[in-house]
Amino acid sequence: ANSVVSPCRYLLYVSGDFVKVYSVNTEETLRLIGGHADLVTGIQLNPHNHMQLYSCSLDGTIKLWDFMDGIPIKTFTVGTKLLALYTLASAEDSVFVVIPKKGERDTFQLVSVKLTKGVGQDLEGKELSVVLDGVGSSMKHIAFGREGAYVVSVKDVNLQVYFFKRKLLNRFSLSTVKTKGGDNRFSCVVCHPKEDCIATGHADGKIRLWRNFHHKKEYTYSTLHWHHDIVMDLAFTMEGTRLLSGGVESVLVQWHNESSCQKDFLPRLGSPIEYISMASDGVLCCTLHTDNRISIINSNLRFSRSIQGLIKSRDVKTGLVVDPRTKALVLNGEPGHLQFYSLQSDQQLFSLDIVQRQYIHQAGLKQSDLVKVAFSARGTWLATVEESEEVTDPELQLKLWLYNEEIQSFELNTRINTPHDNHITDMCFRDMDELGDDSLILVTTGRDCVFKVWVMVEDTDPEAQQSVSWSCDFVGSYHNYQATNCCFSEDGSLLAVSFEETVTVWDSLTWDLKCTFCHPPGNIRNICFGRLTCSKYLIGATDYGFLCCWNLLTCALEWSAHLNVVVLQPDPLSEHIAAVSWLSKESSLFVFKPNEPWPIYIQRNLCKEKILLAAFVPRDEPEIASSGKYLWLRKSQLFFLTDTQELMTLSTTSLEERLTPSSKQLAVEESLPVTPFSLLLGKHRRQQAQEDTDPGKLVVHNKQEQASPAVKELLHTPAHVLPSASFLCTIFINSLLISKENKSAEEVADEVEMESEKAEDDSDEEDVTAMEQEDTSHMELLGEMTCNLSKSQEKELRKIRKMDYSWISAL
């Protein structure tokens, strides 16, 4: 299953190669469970312990977790790709997985894996026995019957039932002929928890309920029909009194008593329902949707809440943009909307309706969609471009939105119809802090061979709703070539616009053309300015596979490299620029500074998918890189979006290092609960640490900071396996006692320190300290023992030191 709900109100769901633990009560993600080296394909609660979780992955392993601590208990290596996972209460030492059949493409088997018992965490799980051949690869295509007596598999128009005790296999087939719009192909299957009844969903929207399938000839089925298209998933309630179904209509249907007349609906769930999962106590159910959202629904069919992840859009035309205000990733969401996605919480912050028209889900309709997005430097202004899907004569709209602090959202300020006569190819804001708000301008480039400069103007009409609006201030062109890209230098003084094979550089105050750079053959695909110490460089990538660096002071090509760059992304907080190339069906990453013609970081074969977009997201706190090669990631984190709509990031630490603090629950100060006592203890420890590192003090602490093994065992051992308190008391008390020798040494040290503080005001304490340090070190080297002076002798010695013996030099 892609998600399971434990009886303790925890929702566990798969997210790539991780499993996330979400608290339904507090509405927060509690834990990230990771350890698999590839995508997780199935999770199931341990039927014998509902605080444990089984997971399987494409990496060929099955893992058993304590999911509240995130600790892996066992890892079983099967050694082949695992595509789905099932657990049975009746099978104590085995689980069931779907694997590819050796030597055949797109053919899968359901096998039983014996979980070998043994000492240690890593074990072999190579003892496999085939249960069913020719099964579907989705977990929805297999279901286990009442008390695990039989297993059902559906594929195409065939249904298989295998009875474990009798070792009997029954096969049933439906007609392949599509009549009156009917399509009998199976889409999903579930089994009744109390009775011998199988429910199957079909491609034409029908649901069939099968009975008496123990006999090949005498089986019966009844039909339920409400869905107009494919039934995506089915689920029985815990007692089997109701059946839930979902599909492309975004409606959850609840069927009573196997009757088409008695049914309830929960409509408007937002997007098609892909999976339905019931809680093990039957109080909640959750639906997983095609837009990467989970809806949590009460047993009375009332919507409770949803968890919205990153929406997979059909085509991310806006690119990956970072909102300066929230540091959220901003990109196309549901049709006509802009999604603001928080990387920290892995949830959508909010969705902004840009197009403001009802989107009709029908193929062939030419509808408007969002294609370009840009933020001003502080995130106060947002510019969006929407266009219809017409290729030759698109309807264009440029909209400017102003952030409203009161409603905590963007409000439409200006709508400009047909800002260009053809598709808009790029746009960017200029922010020059020293010139104030008047410096804020927007530049758009288009296939109509011009770039346009838009500025804010004050509205003189007293009845006008807006105090300012936007209008066109300047139109620029170059030899009637199509304008393709634009970007401002870091200080905003220069604007670079690419026109097919040529890059032009303009003065942003006078709009004079300063210089041009040309690198034929090949159109300019991407351009960006260097930053900070590299601000005198301009970088460009061509579609013929060249990366060029031009020096703006000498107006000459500084260096070039033969590289098929598809993404060029500068880091806003450093001089580094990331370039992603696509060659031989693999994406590679190159990170460089424009003033150096060689990369500082290369990662070949970053992924097999084509990376379409990238974005540097500023960190809240600079990260201490564990390795020198990741120093360029200190201030920002780099994210990629692939053509399969997967969001990936480059990590500076290994998986082991990332997961240790949260999963191992080590008793370090960082993971202590924030209680008044822990805050007090933390403050005391910090003060003690400062005292210990203070170079002005000579007091030596002989007491060991490290706690004794007895204390560690007491604090780290789970309570249910500890011996009685009376047995532990003596060991615990003894471990806290400090030996007498150590104590007397500390007392002596304290006395010396106290005495030195009481010394006379006119004494030169720094010299005394230095001499004392020097003397003791020499004595230690010579192996001599120092004798402790009495207080009166110490005072006498100080008086002698202060005496002036300079008159002796005259003799």
Side-chain angles (χ1 to χ4, degrees):
N2 281 289
S3 60
V4 290
V5 186
S6 79
C8 303
R9 293 293 168 275
Y10 298 118
L11 171 65
L12 296 97
Y13 60 94
V14 173
S15 178
D17 48 2
F18 290 93
V19 178
K20 292 186 174 172
V21 183
Y22 174 86
S23 169
V24 177
N25 295 331
T26 62
E27 299 184 34
E28 62 178 339
T29 303
L30 299 178
R31 194 163 307 289
L32 196 65
I33 301 172
H36 282 292
D38 208 333
L39 294 178
V40 177
T41 50
I43 54 172
Q44 295 283 356
L45 290 175
N46 182 354
H48 308 290
N49 183 346
H50 278 186
M51 296 310 286
Q52 292 179 352
L53 179 82
Y54 282 108
S55 66
C56 75
S57 165
L58 293 180
D59 67 4
T61 63
I62 299 166
K63 288 180 183 282
L64 177 65
W65 305 87
D66 178 333
F67 66 78
M68 282 315 296
D69 287 338
I71 297 171
I73 301 166
K74 298 280 182 187
T75 299
F76 302 94
T77 304
V78 181
T80 180
K81 283 187 178 181
L82 309 177
L83 300 154
L85 175 72
Y86 309 89
T87 54
L88 279 185
S90 55
E92 280 194 28
D93 59 346
S94 61
V95 294
F96 296 86
V97 290
V98 174
I99 63 169
K101 191 172 182 180
K102 283 183 181 177
E104 296 183 38
R105 287 189 64 190
D106 299 326
T107 310
F108 305 96
Q109 296 174 312
L110 176 71
V111 299
S112 169
V113 181
K114 188 171 176 62
L115 304 178
T116 52
K117 288 183 167 58
V119 183
Q121 195 176 317
D122 297 311
L123 299 167
E124 293 284 313
K126 304 277 175 145
E127 205 173 315
L128 310 180
S129 51
V130 178
V131 179
L132 280 174
D133 241 338
V135 301
S137 59
S138 168
M139 53 86 54
K140 294 188 283 192
H141 295 157
I142 293 171
F144 285 81
R146 176 181 56 86
E147 295 173 359
Y150 52 89
V151 61
V152 187
S153 162
V154 295
K155 192 179 182 187
D156 297 327
V157 291
N158 302 308
L159 182 145
Q160 298 183 83
V161 187
Y162 178 74
F163 300 91
F164 288 103
K165 281 187 179 175
R166 292 159 60 193
K167 294 186 178 177
L168 173 70
L169 177 64
N170 283 351
R171 287 193 177 93
F172 308 98
S173 291
L174 294 172
S175 170
T176 55
V177 181
K178 296 179 182 179
T179 55
K180 298 178 185 177
D183 187 346
N184 287 333
R185 283 175 303 153
F186 289 96
S187 58
C188 53
V189 61
V190 288
C191 293
H192 197 290
K194 306 287 184 185
E195 302 169 13
D196 287 336
C197 172
I198 299 167
T200 58
H202 297 266
D204 58 3
K206 289 192 180 78
I207 298 167
R208 287 185 169 87
L209 294 164
W210 303 70
R211 292 186 182 277
N212 209 24
F213 43 81
H214 299 82
H215 309 282
K216 276 195 173 181
K217 300 274 178 81
E218 297 166 23
Y219 71 91
T220 60
Y221 65 75
S222 57
T223 306
L224 306 172
H225 198 181
W226 177 85
H227 297 277
H228 82 275
D229 209 326
I230 185 168
V231 179
M232 305 277 265
D233 203 10
L234 295 164
F236 275 106
T237 55
M238 296 317 292
E239 296 299 317
T241 53
R242 288 162 293 147
L243 175 67
L244 299 168
S245 66
V248 295
E249 304 87 2
S250 311
V251 176
L252 185 65
V253 185
Q254 183 173 261
W255 307 84
H256 298 265
N257 303 324
E258 300 177 25
S259 165
S260 281
C261 304
Q262 291 181 299
K263 55 185 177 290
D264 303 317
F265 303 97
L266 179 59
R268 294 182 291 278
L269 288 174
S271 64
I273 297 168
E274 258 190 314
Y275 291 92
I276 304 169
S277 182
M278 291 296 301
S280 50
D281 58 1
V283 177
L284 295 174
C285 91
C286 67
T287 54
L288 180 65
H289 300 258
T290 53
D291 67 351
N292 200 20
R293 177 173 20 159
I294 295 173
S295 298
I296 299 169
I297 295 153
N298 294 327
S299 56
N300 58 0
L301 218 64
R302 292 289 168 90
F303 175 81
S304 174
R305 62 186 67 94
S306 68
I307 311 164
Q308 177 66 71
L310 184 70
I311 295 175
K312 287 192 174 184
S313 178
R314 291 180 307 158
D315 189 8
V316 184
K317 297 171 183 172
T318 59
L320 284 185
V321 185
V322 180
D323 175 18
R325 186 180 300 275
T326 59
K327 293 181 183 172
L329 272 188
V330 179
L331 63 158
N332 289 98
E334 53 185 294
H337 286 67
L338 199 58
Q339 62 171 321
F340 288 69
Y341 170 74
S342 167
L343 295 157
Q344 284 74 33
S345 63
D346 184 25
Q347 288 186 35
Q348 190 185 96
L349 293 180
F350 65 97
S351 180
L352 187 63
D353 189 356
I354 300 293
V355 175
Q356 297 179 342
R357 287 185 205 167
Q358 184 65 40
Y359 188 87
I360 301 162
H361 294 268
Q362 187 175 329
L365 280 179
K366 302 293 183 186
Q367 302 178 79
S368 290
D369 202 4
L370 184 63
V371 292
K372 290 282 179 287
V373 167
F375 283 94
S376 63
R378 294 185 190 87
T380 312
W381 286 94
L382 165 67
T384 61
V385 174
E386 58 201 68
E387 62 180 42
S388 64
E389 292 170 340
E390 294 286 350
V391 178
T392 51
D393 186 24
E395 290 180 21
L396 292 173
Q397 276 199 350
L398 172 64
K399 290 178 180 175
L400 278 302
W401 308 74
L402 178 63
Y403 190 80
N404 186 331
E405 291 285 354
E406 290 181 8
I407 63 169
Q408 293 284 296
S409 186
F410 287 92
E411 285 185 322
L412 184 60
N413 175 273
T414 306
R415 180 190 283 111
I416 301 161
N417 289 316
T418 322
H420 285 257
D421 295 333
N422 206 332
H423 291 275
I424 290 176
T425 53
D426 201 4
M427 67 175 175
C428 60
F429 275 99
R430 178 193 75 175
D431 273 327
M432 294 168 73
D433 292 336
E434 64 270 16
L435 295 179
D437 290 339
D438 296 337
S439 72
L440 191 64
I441 60 173
L442 176 72
V443 172
T444 56
T445 57
R447 286 192 196 159
D448 56 354
C449 304
V450 297
F451 72 88
K452 291 188 177 182
V453 179
W454 308 86
V455 297
M456 279 191 286
V457 289
E458 288 191 17
D459 210 320
T460 53
D461 186 358
E463 294 183 6
Q465 290 183 339
Q466 315 284 357
S467 58
V468 293
S469 59
W470 291 75
S471 67
C472 185
D473 182 58
F474 178 76
V475 179
S477 64
Y478 183 77
H479 292 292
N480 210 32
Y481 292 138
Q482 287 188 357
T484 51
N485 296 279
C486 62
C487 65
F488 279 100
S489 59
E490 190 177 19
D491 63 356
S493 61
L494 296 176
L495 169 72
V497 182
S498 63
F499 290 89
E500 297 181 18
E501 295 182 353
T502 310
V503 181
T504 59
V505 181
W506 307 71
D507 186 322
S508 72
L509 293 175
T510 61
W511 298 118
D512 293 334
L513 179 60
K514 289 294 180 185
C515 66
T516 59
F517 301 115
C518 192
H519 197 285
N523 293 332
I524 302 293
R525 190 183 274 166
N526 293 300
I527 53 171
C528 70
F529 279 95
R531 293 176 181 271
L532 303 173
T533 60
C534 299
S535 56
K536 65 179 179 180
Y537 298 104
L538 177 65
I539 313 295
T542 72
D543 56 9
Y544 266 72
F546 280 95
L547 182 65
C548 311
C549 176
W550 292 285
N551 190 322
L552 295 164
L553 299 181
T554 61
C555 292
L557 182 69
E558 190 84 3
W559 54 264
S560 69
H562 194 53
L563 203 63
N564 183 35
V565 175
V566 288
V567 176
L568 191 66
Q569 191 64 38
D571 179 8
L573 300 180
S574 73
E575 296 95 342
H576 301 109
I577 296 173
V580 179
S581 71
W582 173 248
L583 193 67
S584 305
K585 294 188 177 178
E586 65 178 47
S587 293
S588 299
L589 171 66
F590 300 84
V591 180
F592 63 94
K593 287 183 179 181
N595 61 351
E596 298 171 358
W598 53 83
I600 60 165
Y601 178 83
I602 300 173
Q603 177 70 59
R604 296 194 186 275
N605 194 9
L606 190 65
C607 67
K608 292 293 181 190
E609 295 82 29
K610 186 176 183 178
I611 290 173
L612 300 178
L613 303 163
F616 275 100
V617 180
R619 297 184 192 272
D620 294 330
E621 294 284 333
E623 191 176 82
I624 299 166
S626 59
S627 171
K629 66 178 181 177
Y630 292 117
L631 282 172
W632 59 277
L633 280 173
R634 276 190 70 241
K635 295 182 179 178
S636 303
Q637 194 171 359
L638 184 58
F639 288 86
F640 309 101
L641 194 75
T642 67
D643 55 357
T644 55
Q645 300 281 298
E646 286 183 335
L647 186 67
M648 303 189 301
T649 186
L650 204 66
S651 177
T652 59
T653 53
S654 68
L655 184 69
E656 189 77 18
E657 288 173 298
R658 271 184 290 152
L659 296 171
T660 295
S662 59
S663 65
K664 301 281 172 74
Q665 290 295 293
L666 298 172
V668 291
E669 286 179 1
E670 286 77 5
S671 62
L672 285 173
V674 185
T675 60
F677 178 69
S678 73
L679 288 171
L680 197 70
L681 186 66
K683 189 177 177 183
H684 168 69
R685 284 182 181 172
R686 281 194 297 276
Q687 283 175 350
Q688 199 175 44
Q690 283 171 359
E691 286 172 11
D692 292 350
T693 54
D694 190 349
K697 295 197 176 179
L698 292 171
V699 183
V700 180
H701 293 281
N702 289 328
K703 185 185 170 186
Q704 290 292 320
E705 287 294 320
Q706 202 170 3
S708 70
V711 179
K712 278 190 174 179
E713 286 301 317
L714 186 65
L715 294 175
H716 295 182
T717 309
H720 62 279
V721 294
L722 275 175
S724 66
S726 58
F727 176 78
L728 290 168
C729 188
T730 314
I731 307 167
F732 180 62
I733 295 296
N734 284 336
S735 73
L736 297 177
L737 295 175
I738 300 162
S739 63
K740 195 174 179 183
E741 292 79 19
N742 286 357
K743 194 170 183 181
S744 61
E746 277 192 354
E747 281 173 359
V748 171
D750 286 342
E751 277 183 23
V752 173
E753 188 185 17
M754 293 283 288
E755 191 60 38
S756 66
E757 285 171 6
K758 290 176 186 174
E760 287 82 5
D761 294 338
D762 58 344
S763 68
D764 191 354
E765 282 188 7
E766 284 185 19
D767 287 349
V768 172
T769 310
M771 282 179 70
E772 282 175 357
Q773 276 186 305
E774 197 178 328
D775 289 345
T776 53
S777 65
H778 280 304
M779 285 176 188
E780 282 167 9
L781 284 170
L782 294 167
E784 291 177 13
M785 295 295 292
T786 57
C787 56
N788 289 333
L789 301 174
S790 67
K791 289 183 183 179
S792 57
Q793 287 173 325
E794 187 78 24
K795 283 182 181 178
E796 198 67 35
L797 187 62
R798 282 207 182 97
K799 284 177 185 175
I800 296 166
R801 278 178 185 160
K802 285 178 197 169
M803 284 184 183
D804 185 12
Y805 296 109
S806 58
W807 56 270
I808 298 174
S809 60
L811 297 173

